[in-house]
Amino acid sequence: MRQHRRPGRRRRRRRGPRRGPGRSTASPRPRGTYSNLQPVSDSTAPGGGQALQVTYPALSGPPSCGCGLGGGQFYQNLNLNGQQALAQSPTVDLKYWYRFPVGFDFGGKTAGKMPGLYGGVPGCESGGQHCNGGWSTRYMWRGGSTSAPDGELYFYTASGSGYGADLCLGNWHFPADGKWHSMEQLVNTGSGQITVWADGGATPVCQTTQTLGGTPVSGTFFSTFHGGHDTSWSPTHTTTDEFADFTLATAQQSGGGTSPATPAGLVVTGSTSSSATLNWTEPAGSDPAASYRVYEGGAVVATSTTTGVTVSGLAANSTHSYTVTAVDASGAESAPSAPVTATTSGSGGGGGGSFTQADIDSAVAAPGIAFAAPTSAVPRPGTNPVSIGAAKVLYYLALVDRQAPGSRASNGTTVDSALLAQVRSLIAGGHEPDADGGLEGWAHAPVAQALLLLKNGPAWSELSAAEQNRVSLLEEAMGFAGNYTYNDASSFSSGICGFGNFSKTNNPNYRDGYVDVEAAAIQYFGASSWDAMLAGFDDATLASQLDAAGLTNAGGCYSAVGPAANAPVQRPFVWEGHPATDLMGIWNQLAADTFDKTVTSVNGPAHIADGSTSPVQGQLGMGHEFDSTDSAGLRSSALYVFEGWMNVTGNRVAMTALGSFSCPAASSAGRYSVGSQDLVYKLHHGYYSYGLNQNGVLTDDHGDPATDGPDVKGYQYDLDAYHALVSTQGC
């Protein structure tokens, strides 16, 4: 089953293309083409678990587009990298692996570039440039299906004109299925023959003879972007893919080997309300696999080095179809096994785990929630640390009541009765959030999530019809405000209340809250119903309904904005290109924006208080605000990271409880997991922050800062919910 090499073949393996050493001194590195490239750890990546993640921002393209730069491009030079044997060979073979996640946006015209080989001077093989002796053999995705577009060999030559030649179009595809796929090309510079294989197949998908002018292979041309010179070619929302295990050799690498044997006998050997255990066997006489991948649909949901695995984090009463593949030491993957279906048992919602009694006791004993009426831009009721903490109590009680009905405090008081008391305080009149749509999402998001869980829990039927109507009206008002402020078509400097101090493009800890409010409203009313409600919005009608229900904090703000709110609210909800129907896309975008840094334990003067090192040091996923800037320069703030984390976590917990969170579709789950582990560690060990009004401020999970730290803002409830539902999901 192992891949065999031919005698005498020279082979060099690298975990992703090299950057600095690979560029030629004859051509400066293209400006801006590196900022979208990020090395990441990915246990599923062939060649050792390292990959190069590429980001293509919404409405991006190549430098010639004049829009935002998407993807990346650089040249690796064999001679400069000490690979003279390859540089002097008349035949060079390039093989690499790529993975497009499910839902990858291939652009408005479904066309884009993929890496290949090049010969000649860097810069002569793209962008319409045809220099003496220069050539390149990149690939393109081009037309066909938007989920698996056609592939082609995109050939540049010195004698060409215009742009590259389209060769072998449609002979293979680039599927966005979440799986790793390989591309391999063998170039003979003497004969001009170019041969291409896809996914290690024995039969070439493209074989052509072209004029190379005798110019030898110079190296790898890493080039990927949505191709065209205006935004009609661009992705509509930010999207990412991964590349791994770039390997160069003097002869074909895949054709002489064999694929791993397909696992046999896949069966379900056990299940709970939140997990399924699978086992399988290796076919008799086959070589042992290095590892196995378990798929649900097109996404890897588990990996194993043995012939068994438990997939966790599943919703109760849910059905799942799994297949398993074998992977050998070279990264070659077998065909999938026959599928098997697993069904979880029916107790509780999605996710497992239990809740901490001490946190239940403190939440049950908390005073009734009551927001103040808004009066000015600073301070705002929803940014008051005590109000945020009170909102977390409401959210936590609603979560426990739904997931563990019948729970009681140590004094015998039921969680259900405590939740009803909090809800009735919230809707009593003049105690509700003002539904502004801005920074107050810090407190409004947990309220919106609490009302969502309430509606889907046992306490809902214990409310009167009038109380249920007030709850729904409040959720509606907050959701309308989120669409007003965060819809892609909106650009306001103030929320609904009109106090200013707002920008939807501010840092993640600022903006996450009200996007999470919107996600809660979408689930509360249903995506299609929600867009219909948006289309029928009328400010005067809503303001009148709120005032009549006694919800005067929110009613006053809608009266203040008036009919100017009508057109912005009436648009279908779209945020960062994600519509109301794409809840997982919304969560993935929030998590990707919030956890986009590589973990460090020291950043300038900012550091972990006891001098220790984060357990995920060097991994991608550190909170954005640990390495950001403000008007004074560097900012590294554990408090601001917590504020972003609490929003993303609350959203995920609510989705998990209702069975709406899908691990197979959670492309940002890895970085969120890293960011969560890093933040929890830093808060437990203490973190000295740095920045405007943050210099030397100690932030931890045991009381610092005393007036506005994580503990005041309900961190203990966030953390208990995270441990009960998220950390057990396996993604």
Side-chain angles (χ1 to χ4, degrees), residues 99-127:
R99 180 170 71 175
F100 290 115
V102 175
F104 181 85
D105 187 343
F106 286 102
K109 295 186 178 180
T110 318
K113 306 298 191 299
M114 297 276 283
L117 294 168
Y118 78 100
V121 178
C124 289
E125 301 82 20
S126 66

Side-chain angles (χ1 to χ4, degrees), residues 5-11 86 89 91-95 184-187 197 247-255:
R5 303 180 188 175
R6 294 176 179 169
R9 183 169 66 180
R10 298 181 178 91
R11 193 168 184 259
L86 283 169
S89 174
T91 57
V92 174
D93 185 273
L94 167 66
K95 180 181 178 182
E184 181 175 3
Q185 61 177 252
L186 178 67
V187 175
W197 296 267
T247 310
L248 294 164
T250 58
Q252 180 188 351
Q253 300 175 61
S254 295

Side-chain angles (χ1 to χ4, degrees), residues 15-17 37-46 48-54 97 99 180 241-245:
R15 295 178 180 176
L37 308 180
Q38 176 67 53
V40 296
S41 295
D42 184 339
S43 61
T44 69
Q50 297 294 312
L52 186 63
Q53 184 182 74
V54 182
W97 296 78
R99 180 170 71 175
W180 286 100
D241 60 8
E242 291 183 4
F243 294 86
D245 201 26

Side-chain angles (χ1 to χ4, degrees), residues 230-272:
D230 58 62
T231 55
S232 67
W233 302 80
S234 304
T236 58
H237 62 271
T238 298
T239 192
T240 63
D241 60 8
E242 291 183 4
F243 294 86
D245 201 26
F246 280 64
T247 310
L248 294 164
T250 58
Q252 180 188 351
Q253 300 175 61
S254 295
T258 58
S259 297
T262 300
L266 177 63
V267 293
V268 179
T269 55
S271 65
T272 69

